[in-house]
Amino acid sequence: MMDLMEESRPDTPLALRGGTRSGDHEKITVNLGFVDLGHVDLLVSEGVYANRSDFIRTAIRNQIERHADITRQSVARNPIEVGLRRYGRAELESARAAGTRLDIRVLGLAVIADDVPADLASAAIASIEVLGSLQASPAVKRVLADRLL
């Protein structure tokens, strides 16, 4: 779950710590000015939102919905898998055996299974674009680094 923490530096009064995953969420950093932060805290204190994280998640969802047509048009132009997509060892071995390489495009969470060795990922994946988060072993991420779009 995303928890907001105030920074001690005055130029970044509000932040979510970046890069840490918990469950199906990923923490990100958000910097807000003092007035915006005050408005958020006022809405929380009035009971409109449970906490700062609730406000930010709601605001993000509202903006995603507001621009849903753009998302639909983009997905229609450039096919992309939406949601959670897991690539396991068997799927990558099948691609390699068939002499094909995968062009992976995911909006959401792409997971390359822990049992996938780096050499298999290198042989079976031509390119990878993830709008969201990629979970893979450090070794797999290293061999795919030059293929990330």
Side-chain angles (χ1 to χ4, degrees):
M1 203 150 174
M2 295 175 18
D3 289 321
L4 298 172
M5 295 176 246
E6 289 186 40
E7 294 267 307
S8 58
R9 293 180 16 227
D11 60 328
T12 56
L14 178 66
L16 292 121
R17 302 294 179 188
T20 305
R21 284 188 193 92
S22 175
D24 64 347
H25 293 84
E26 182 152 344
K27 292 185 180 186
I28 61 170
T29 299
V30 177
N31 296 318
L32 292 178
F34 294 112
V35 174
D36 290 338
L37 178 59
H39 280 102
V40 172
D41 286 344
L42 176 68
L43 292 169
V44 169
S45 71
E46 290 296 319
V48 178
Y49 297 95
N51 52 45
R52 291 173 173 178
S53 293
D54 182 35
F55 172 88
I56 290 172
R57 280 191 300 271
T58 300
I60 289 170
R61 287 183 190 122
N62 288 342
Q63 288 301 304
I64 290 169
E65 180 58 33
R66 180 178 179 190
H67 300 291
D69 286 341
I70 295 169
T71 301
R72 279 191 288 278
Q73 291 168 9
S74 179
V75 169
R77 280 191 316 272
N78 301 303
I80 191 167
E81 296 186 58
V82 178
L84 167 64
R85 179 61 162 92
R86 184 179 186 281
Y87 295 87
R89 185 178 191 135
E91 181 177 4
L92 296 182
E93 286 174 343
S94 293
R96 181 175 61 182
T100 61
R101 297 179 76 205
L102 303 176
D103 291 306
I104 295 172
R105 293 192 74 235
V106 175
L107 187 155
L109 175 62
V111 177
I112 299 175
D114 288 337
D115 67 343
V116 172
D119 63 329
L120 175 58
S122 181
I125 298 172
S127 68
I128 184 164
E129 179 180 11
V130 179
L131 302 170
S133 186
L134 169 64
Q135 291 180 358
S137 71
V140 167
K141 285 184 177 181
R142 267 193 307 279
V143 300
L144 296 178
D146 64 336
R147 298 169 204 185
L148 288 169
L149 304 176

